[in-house]
């Protein structure tokens, strides 16, 4: 019997120890890197989703069962971090910094497994340069875990590896729905293929990881409230996906257009170029791995497969942010492709260095906020000092956040308890502790594919009757048709009917529910006269399930109201533009006069969708209130008109004020 090669065995042991040592070193260095700037930057739009969802868990609610959200995995991670470190943002940020450092080490391990040596550090460096916001990193993490799971099932399995891969898959299936469903379909197919085609292992051995995943899925369904809640969530998820494809997708950048290139900042040209370059790398890489005779391993097959799958996020909604989440496996595939397949390695190496230089400059200096790299440290020079949200942000964001939070806390001290921040701002619920009583944590323009789903969401919001509503009607992706008011006009009218504009801070409108003494101007005791030029009518329209008296106006109009008594009253109404055209090319001019004295002179800018009529009336015993509305349309559309909500006159409230106690500049 031949004697075993002791020298070879020893080399393998040394190599294994070196790999473990390198893994630990990369993890420690990456953790130090991420912890060095974990307090910097914040996101008005998305950051509050996992934070407030975790806060709702502390109140006994569960994701999906009690509020529409992502799968419960990420909320559980944040919930555990807050349970240990307190209900403030630093706890989940530290937890994600440590978890992301593990992810960086796993990227190196995956690169080493495909045969890369010193170049295995390049994907790690790329990820450190472009990690994205900490709450976005779950997708990349799940993609990489899926790489290891797929790779293990391409080769013959052992019981230990099957159980390990199954347990890793639990994290995926609880965190990312689409990747979890992909594993639920793919892993059993690979197990059956190994058993009956490759003739390796038993059927039970090849299906062990699948059984663990199926059991984890059953536990998740039970956790979120049973099969009924899960089916309702899948329907909502399908609606959001379909709506995203039709209404929220961003056109692919036309880099072949000279006019488009001239209109762009050079840094964005570089980012648009990377979108196409990444697609080319994936197509070429997958073609080489799966359809050529070149030497390949199960590791690179798994990397290529998950690169292709992860790029689906970019196809679903083209954007550089989604691209960054798919970069880790793609970078490994690209380096493997260059080393194994490039005939002119010097040229390819030079171009790669140029590309790497562009990424370094873009992530550290030109657009660090896009990448969420350490380059944001030089931009975040102000500190928002709040017990629940102490972070360093840009001075402009710090002032805005300070005003908004201070104003909301003033309202909370006055007894207001609930807040709905539309369309995508649950961050304010998290910071202030004002509860969100609705099922939907967010309502994005275009997220619903059918009018029925949209109507159900509207009814859910309106029936909850929140005390405060915040609206930010900015154009998503810079496109006017993606404003919230274009997707949910009924919610805008509902706010104008049941709420009044209390304060406007930058692009955020703060509405309060109408309470106390409310007297309609157009009631039986008042004498009103209506003069018009054009087609006008007064009728009842249904807003959120209730009929509301409105003025439907397509020309110029004058409304005169004789009121017997007005003492310290607040006049409020809303004018909303309705048209089948996407762009509402209309300008309006409204004058509010009392006894011939002009109080307000309001202009609605071109292409605006709605505006609020808001004025404090003088303290007088007898008055004639006169409103003159003049409209100018710049295009022809027979179906266009204005909806002028029934004006109301309320007891005047004290205007909001701001205590700037959170903002501190260095």
């Amino acid at each position: 019997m031949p004697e075993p090669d002791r020298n070879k065995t020893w080399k393998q042991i040394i190599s294994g120890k070196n790999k473990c040592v390198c893994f630990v070193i990369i993890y420690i260095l990456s953790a130090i890197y991420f912890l060095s700037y974990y307090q910097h930057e914040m996101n008005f739009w998305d950051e509050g989703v996992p934070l407030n969802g975790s806060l709702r868990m502390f109140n006994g609610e569960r994701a999906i069962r009690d509020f529409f959200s992502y799968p419960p995995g990420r909320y559980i991670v944040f919930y555990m971090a807050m349970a240990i470190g307190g209900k403030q943002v630093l706890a989940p940020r530290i937890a994600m910094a440590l978890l992301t450092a593990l992810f960086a080490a796993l990227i190196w391990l995956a690169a080493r497994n495909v045969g890369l040596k010193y170049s295995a550090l390049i994907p790690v460096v790329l990820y450190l340069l472009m990690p994205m916001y900490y709450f976005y990193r779950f997708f990349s993490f799940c993609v990489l875990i899926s790489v290891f799971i797929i790779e293990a099932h391409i080769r013959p399995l052992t019981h230990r590896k099957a159980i390990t891969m199954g347990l890793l898959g639990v994290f995926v299936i609880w965190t990312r729905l689409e990747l979890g469903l992909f594993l639920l379909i793919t892993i059993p197919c690979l197990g059956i293929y190994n058993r009956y085609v490759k003739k390796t292992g038993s059927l039970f051995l090849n299906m062990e990881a699948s059984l663990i995943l199926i059991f984890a899925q059953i536990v998740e369904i039970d956790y979120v409230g049973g099969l009924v809640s899960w089916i309702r969530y899948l329907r909502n998820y399908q609606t959001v996906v379909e709506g995203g494809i039709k209404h929220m997708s961003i056109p692919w950048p036309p880099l072949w257009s000279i006019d488009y290139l001239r209109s762009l900042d050079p840094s964005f040209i570089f980012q648009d170029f990377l979108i196409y370059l990444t697609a080319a790398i994936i197509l070429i890489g997958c073609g080489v791995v799966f359809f050529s005779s070149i030497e390949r391993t199960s590791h690179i097959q798994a990397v290529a497969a998950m690169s292709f799958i992860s790029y689906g996020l970019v196809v679903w909604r083209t954007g550089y942010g989604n691209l960054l989440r798919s970069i880790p496996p793609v970078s490994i595939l690209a380096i493997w492709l260059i080393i194994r397949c490039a005939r002119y390695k010097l040229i390819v190496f030079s171009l790669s260095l140029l590309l790497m230089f562009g990424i370094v400059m873009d992530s550290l200096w030109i657009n660090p906020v896009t990448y969420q790299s350490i380059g944001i440290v030089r931009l975040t020079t102000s500190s928002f000092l709040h017990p629940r949200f102490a972070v360093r942000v840009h001075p402009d964001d710090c002032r805005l956040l300070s005003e908004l939070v201070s104003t909301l806390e003033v309202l909370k001290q006055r007894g207001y308890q609930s807040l709905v921040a539309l369309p995508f701002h649950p961050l304010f619920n998290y910071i202030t502790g004002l509860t969100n009583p609705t099922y939907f944590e967010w309502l994005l323009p275009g997220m619903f594919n059918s009018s029925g789903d949209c109507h159900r969401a509207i009814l859910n919001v309106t029936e909850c009757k929140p005390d405060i509503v915040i609206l930010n009607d900015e154009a998503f992706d810079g496109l006017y048709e993606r404003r919230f008011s274009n997707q949910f006009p009924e919610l805008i009218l509902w706010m104008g009917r049941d709420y009044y504009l209390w304060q406007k801070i930058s692009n955020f409108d703060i509405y309060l529910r109408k309470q106390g003494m409310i007297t309609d101007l157009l009631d039986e005791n008042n004498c009103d006269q209506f003069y018009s030029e054009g087609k006008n009518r007064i009728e009842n329209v249904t807003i959120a399930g209730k009929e509301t008296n409105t003025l439907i106006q397509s020309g110029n109009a004058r409304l005169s109201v004789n009121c017997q008594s007005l003492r310290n009253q607040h006049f409020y109404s809303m004018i909303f533009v309705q048209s089948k055209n996407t762009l509402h090319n209309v300008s309006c001019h409204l004058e509010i006069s009392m006894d011939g004295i002009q109080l307000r002179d309001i202009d609605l800018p071109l292409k605006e969708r709605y505006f609020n009529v808001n004025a404090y009336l003088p303290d007088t015993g007898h008055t004639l209130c006169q409103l003159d509305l003049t409209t100018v349309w710049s295009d022809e559309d027979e179906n266009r008109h204005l909806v002028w909500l029934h004006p109301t006159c309320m007891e005047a409230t004290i205007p909001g004020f701001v205590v700037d106690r959170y903002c501190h500049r260095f």
Side-chain angles (χ1 to χ4, degrees):
M1 184 175 180
E3 184 179 353
D5 187 350
R6 299 180 184 276
N7 189 39
K8 182 178 179 180
T9 304
W10 178 248
K11 285 183 179 180
Q12 290 176 345
I13 294 174
I14 293 294
S15 176
K17 286 185 176 180
N18 285 339
K19 186 179 287 189
C20 291
V21 171
C22 290
F23 184 91
V24 172
I25 291 175
I26 292 173
Y27 173 77
I28 293 174
L29 293 178
S30 300
I32 295 173
Y33 170 82
F34 286 119
L35 289 173
S36 66
Y37 71 98
Y38 76 98
Q39 289 180 290
H40 291 263
E41 191 53 37
M42 64 98 189
N43 185 300
F44 273 112
W45 297 93
D46 302 297
E47 187 165 5
V49 174
L51 291 175
N52 193 57
S54 304
L55 205 60
R56 292 180 75 153
M57 289 181 64
F58 278 100
N59 296 328
E61 298 183 70
R62 291 186 182 179
I64 296 177
R65 184 191 70 181
D66 300 310
F67 58 95
F68 181 75
S69 63
Y70 299 111
R74 68 185 66 195
Y75 298 98
I76 294 175
V77 172
F78 279 32
Y79 174 84
M80 293 174 62
M82 291 181 184
I84 297 172
K87 298 177 185 178
Q88 40 84 26
V89 74
L90 299 185
R93 287 195 177 200
I94 292 174
M96 285 304 297
L98 298 176
L99 192 62
T100 307
L102 176 62
F103 179 39
L106 289 175
I107 291 175
W108 174 83
L109 182 60
R112 288 286 289 124
N113 287 343
V114 303
L116 305 182
K117 294 183 180 179
Y118 298 111
S119 57
L121 290 174
I122 297 177
V124 179
V125 173
L126 285 174
Y127 185 70
L128 296 180
L129 288 173
M130 48 176 67
M132 287 294 290
Y133 286 98
Y134 68 94
F135 45 88
Y136 278 155
R137 299 172 193 170
F138 287 100
F139 178 83
S140 303
F141 204 179
C142 290
V143 166
L144 192 64
I145 291 176
S146 301
V147 167
F148 288 100
I149 296 173
I150 297 295
E151 181 274 328
H153 282 76
I154 294 176
R155 296 189 298 159
L157 280 168
T158 63
H159 286 289
R160 181 179 178 182
K161 180 167 287 189
I163 294 174
T164 302
M165 294 303 111
L167 294 176
L168 286 176
V170 173
F171 182 85
V172 177
I173 208 168
W174 275 64
T175 306
R176 290 297 306 198
L177 177 62
E178 67 278 19
L179 294 177
L181 293 176
F182 172 75
L183 289 181
L184 277 176
I185 297 172
T186 305
I187 300 308
C189 293
L190 288 175
I192 295 172
Y193 176 81
N194 286 335
R195 173 65 183 90
Y196 293 105
V197 179
K198 295 176 67 176
K199 308 293 185 181
T200 60
S202 65
L203 181 61
F204 177 77
L205 172 62
N206 289 324
M207 298 295 288
E208 271 187 291
S210 303
L211 294 174
I212 294 174
L213 291 182
I214 293 172
F215 179 75
Q217 182 70 82
I218 294 174
V219 174
E220 182 180 10
I221 291 173
D222 180 69
Y223 174 82
V224 301
L227 193 59
V228 175
S229 295
W230 185 252
I231 292 175
R232 180 180 65 171
Y233 175 71
L234 290 180
R235 288 176 178 172
N236 285 328
Y237 186 83
Q238 178 186 2
T239 299
V240 171
V241 170
E242 293 175 353
I245 294 174
K246 290 186 178 181
H247 308 297
M248 295 172 60
S249 59
I250 305 173
W252 286 69
L255 294 180
W256 51 87
S257 171
I258 301 299
D259 294 335
Y260 177 77
L261 294 177
R262 287 176 178 173
S263 65
L264 277 182
D265 184 272
S267 64
F268 295 116
I269 295 177
F270 173 77
Q271 294 178 8
D272 291 347
F273 168 74
L274 281 184
I275 293 177
Y276 287 100
L277 178 63
T278 304
I281 290 172
I282 292 173
L283 292 176
I284 296 172
C286 289
V288 170
V289 169
F290 295 109
F291 302 106
S292 73
S293 58
I294 192 171
E295 179 185 355
R296 56 187 179 269
T297 63
S298 58
H299 300 282
I300 192 60
Q301 289 176 329
V303 169
M306 292 312 302
S307 297
F308 185 82
I309 295 299
S310 65
Y311 198 77
L313 193 65
V314 183
V315 175
W316 173 68
R317 191 174 188 272
T318 310
Y320 197 64
N322 285 341
L323 174 68
L324 294 181
R325 299 188 226 186
S326 63
I327 283 296
V330 175
S331 61
I332 297 174
L333 178 63
I335 297 168
W336 179 88
L337 199 63
I338 291 172
I339 293 176
R340 294 298 181 95
C341 307
R343 295 180 61 186
Y344 304 98
K345 291 187 177 181
L346 181 60
I347 297 176
V348 174
F349 180 72
S350 301
L351 293 175
S352 300
L353 281 181
L354 183 62
L355 181 63
M356 189 73 175
F357 175 76
I359 292 174
V360 170
M361 290 299 296
D362 203 28
S363 63
L364 296 183
W365 185 257
I366 302 175
N367 290 306
V369 175
T370 301
Y371 298 84
Q372 282 300 290
S373 69
I374 199 171
I376 61 174
V377 171
R378 65 182 177 83
L379 301 177
T380 51
T381 56
S382 295
S383 181
F384 181 74
L385 304 175
H386 188 276
R388 188 169 281 179
F389 200 79
V391 293
R392 296 181 180 180
V393 295
H394 189 277
D396 294 339
D397 291 338
C398 191
R399 286 190 291 270
L400 176 58
L401 190 60
S402 180
E403 283 190 66
L404 285 166
V405 172
S406 300
T407 302
L408 291 174
E409 290 192 340
V410 167
L411 293 174
K412 186 178 180 180
Q413 292 173 2
R414 295 182 185 177
Y416 292 85
Q417 299 295 324
S418 56
L419 162 70
V420 172
L422 302 171
F424 205 61
H425 297 287
L427 180 66
F428 302 124
N429 295 92
Y430 167 74
I431 297 177
T432 62
L434 292 165
T435 60
N436 179 3
T438 67
Y439 176 72
F440 291 92
E441 274 286 87
W442 66 86
L443 288 176
L444 277 173
M447 69 180 285
F448 292 109
N449 193 37
S450 68
S451 58
D453 292 322
C454 184
H455 184 66
R456 281 191 292 271
I458 291 172
L459 286 180
N460 174 256
V461 175
T462 56
E463 289 174 355
C464 290
K465 298 180 180 179
D467 297 331
I468 311 168
V469 177
I470 293 181
L471 176 65
N472 184 354
D473 198 31
E474 292 184 54
F476 277 71
D477 306 313
L479 302 176
Y480 177 82
E481 60 270 20
R482 292 183 183 170
R483 293 177 58 174
F484 184 83
S485 55
N486 286 333
Q487 176 69 24
F488 301 101
E490 194 174 357
L491 276 180
I492 303 298
L493 291 172
W494 163 73
M495 284 189 291
R497 185 196 65 190
D498 294 350
Y499 293 76
Y500 64 95
L501 181 64
W502 185 63
Q503 190 166 347
K504 184 177 181 64
I505 301 175
S506 185
N507 293 324
F508 294 87
D509 295 337
I510 301 177
Y511 291 86
L512 300 183
R513 189 148 53 94
K514 294 176 182 177
Q515 298 174 346
M517 296 176 59
I518 300 177
T519 304
D520 291 335
L521 282 176
L522 301 180
D523 59 18
E524 297 179 356
N525 298 323
N526 296 328
C527 177
D528 59 272
Q529 294 178 329
F530 177 64
Y531 309 94
S532 66
E533 300 173 7
K535 298 178 180 179
N536 304 273
R537 65 188 185 275
I538 294 180
E539 65 177 31
N540 287 335
V541 298
T542 301
I543 300 173
K546 295 181 180 180
E547 287 190 346
T548 303
N549 195 20
T550 62
L551 167 65
I552 308 299
Q553 194 272 107
S554 58
N556 299 330
R558 170 177 291 177
L559 179 64
S560 299
V561 182
N562 284 315
C563 302
Q564 297 300 321
S565 178
L566 285 177
R567 294 190 180 279
N568 195 25
Q569 297 289 304
H570 179 201
F571 177 85
Y572 180 77
S573 183
M574 177 185 283
I575 297 176
F576 189 84
V577 182
Q578 283 194 337
S579 172
K580 290 186 177 181
N581 290 343
T582 301
L583 298 180
H584 306 281
N585 298 322
V586 57
S587 59
C588 298
H589 182 79
L590 178 68
E591 292 184 2
I592 304 176
S593 301
M594 302 291 291
D595 287 335
I597 302 175
Q598 182 175 312
L599 295 181
R600 292 290 302 276
D601 191 353
I602 305 171
D603 284 314
L604 173 63
L606 194 67
K607 296 184 181 180
E608 285 295 329
R609 187 67 193 268
Y610 71 95
F611 72 102
N612 297 284
V613 181
N614 209 344
Y616 288 98
L617 304 182
D619 188 3
T620 178
H622 180 81
T623 186
L624 172 67
C625 180
Q626 183 171 293
L627 296 89
D628 290 279
L629 179 65
T630 305
T631 60
V632 177
W633 299 89
S634 60
D635 58 359
E636 295 296 330
D637 182 5
E638 294 181 356
N639 297 309
R640 67 192 181 191
H641 53 266
L642 301 180
V643 178
W644 189 351
L645 284 178
H646 190 166
T648 57
C649 191
M650 304 169 293
E651 186 178 20
T653 58
I654 302 174
F657 61 93
V658 175
V659 181
D660 189 8
R661 63 180 184 274
Y662 299 128
C663 185
H664 174 68
R665 274 162 280 175
F666 296 102

